[in-house]
Amino acid sequence: MDVLVAGGHGQIARRLLRILAAHGHNARGLIRNPDHVADLEADGAHPVLCDLEHDDLVPHIGGANAIVFAAGAGPGSGPERKQTVDYGAAVKCIEAAQATGVDRFVIVSSIGIQDAVHAGPMREYLEAKGAADDALRTSGLSWTIVKPGVLTDEPGSGTVDLSTGSGRRDPVSRDNVALVLYHVLLADNAIRAEFELFDGPTPAADAVQALLPGSGPVNVL
Ligand SMILES: NC(=O)c1ccc[n+]([C@@H]2O[C@H](COP(=O)([O-])OP(=O)(O)OC[C@H]3O[C@@H](n4cnc5c(N)ncnc54)[C@H](OP(=O)(O)O)[C@@H]3O)[C@@H](O)[C@H]2O)c1
């Protein structure tokens, strides 16, 4: 597989790129900062320089079998960058996938989107993430929406819990998120599925295999 990870120097993204490279896939990380090139090369990944907010993405997609959107404006950013990165850059990637015929698209979303209106300072972030998910659901692409819980840097257990609409705010390690993203990329039954992701008892590959294929929000775990 040739996989292009948008936000390629992000903490989840680098973990995913390392897994992909270790399994012999062509792992490409889309980054905006030339200082990050060496880190990606050390991960076994191929850096692709492109600013998601300001550049045309189409020339950089070429040959990808799948795109993973793992970028984010980050906690220190204001409302404008929620719009230009968490929403806008995701939509740019979706549109670039459509324009270049890349059918498979996986987005790193978030828990809590259904309660965004009550999320206080998180509201703008969650509304931007929710709007990006909406754009992907209606894109016609073969999508998967992965909604991690509270991210931690704990070593990955390799075991997870997938659920939907739970309202939980439980943790999940970035290692486990990256591992689930990897298995999602390999699993046709994960197409048009969306789910919350927490640390839990089930091996990641088994949890992904148990996803129901088909019709998105109607047909999820
Ligand atoms: N924190 C949580 O508990 C939580 C929970 C659920 C979901 N999430 C979501 O999980 C995702 C990934 O998390 P993470 O911890 O891996 O994030 P991260 O380490 O902050 O990585 C985000 C990456 O996005 C890149 N980026 C931002 N703007 C860009 C642009 N214009 N062009 C290219 N790249 C750009 C950043 O690049 P630079 O290094 O150049 O800035 C950074 O490498 C995010 O979407 C986040 O919203 C977080």
Side-chain angles (χ1 to χ4, degrees), residues 1 13 44 65 149 182:
M1 266 188 310
N65 302 113
Y182 172 66

Side-chain angles (χ1 to χ4, degrees), residues 6-15 30-33 36 50-54 69-75 81 84-86 89 108-111 122 125-126 129 146-153 169 172 174 177:
H9 196 260
Q11 299 166 86
I12 291 172
R14 288 190 65 191
R15 287 163 166 84
L30 203 152
I31 58 174
R32 61 176 170 168
N33 185 345
H36 293 159
C50 174
D51 188 313
L52 291 166
E53 290 162 278
H54 303 112
F69 184 83
R81 291 200 73 234
T84 58
V85 181
D86 295 303
V108 180
S109 177
S110 177
I111 56 166
M122 298 285 283
Y125 162 72
L126 291 171
K129 297 292 275 183
V146 179
K147 302 176 174 180
V150 179
L151 296 173
T152 76
D153 290 327
R169 289 194 44 78
V172 61
R174 289 182 170 89
V177 176

Side-chain angles (χ1 to χ4, degrees), residues 180-213:
V180 165
L181 290 170
Y182 172 66
H183 287 293
V184 159
L185 286 166
L186 300 176
D188 283 351
N189 64 295
I191 292 171
R192 298 178 63 81
E194 58 181 290
F195 55 87
E196 299 165 343
L197 167 58
F198 305 103
D199 292 330
T202 309
D206 296 347
V208 170
Q209 281 302 317
L211 286 166
L212 298 177

Side-chain angles (χ1 to χ4, degrees), residues 97-124:
Q98 291 168 324
T100 55
V102 178
D103 183 53
R104 190 77 176 98
F105 198 110
V106 180
I107 193 166
V108 180
S109 177
S110 177
I111 56 166
I113 287 167
Q114 68 273 22
D115 297 322
V117 71
H118 299 120
M122 298 285 283
R123 177 174 177 168
E124 279 155 337

Side-chain angles (χ1 to χ4, degrees), residues 22-47:
H23 286 83
H25 299 288
N26 196 31
R28 293 194 287 145
L30 203 152
I31 58 174
R32 61 176 170 168
N33 185 345
D35 293 344
H36 293 159
V37 164
D39 285 341
L40 261 66
E41 288 175 346
D43 291 337
H46 303 289

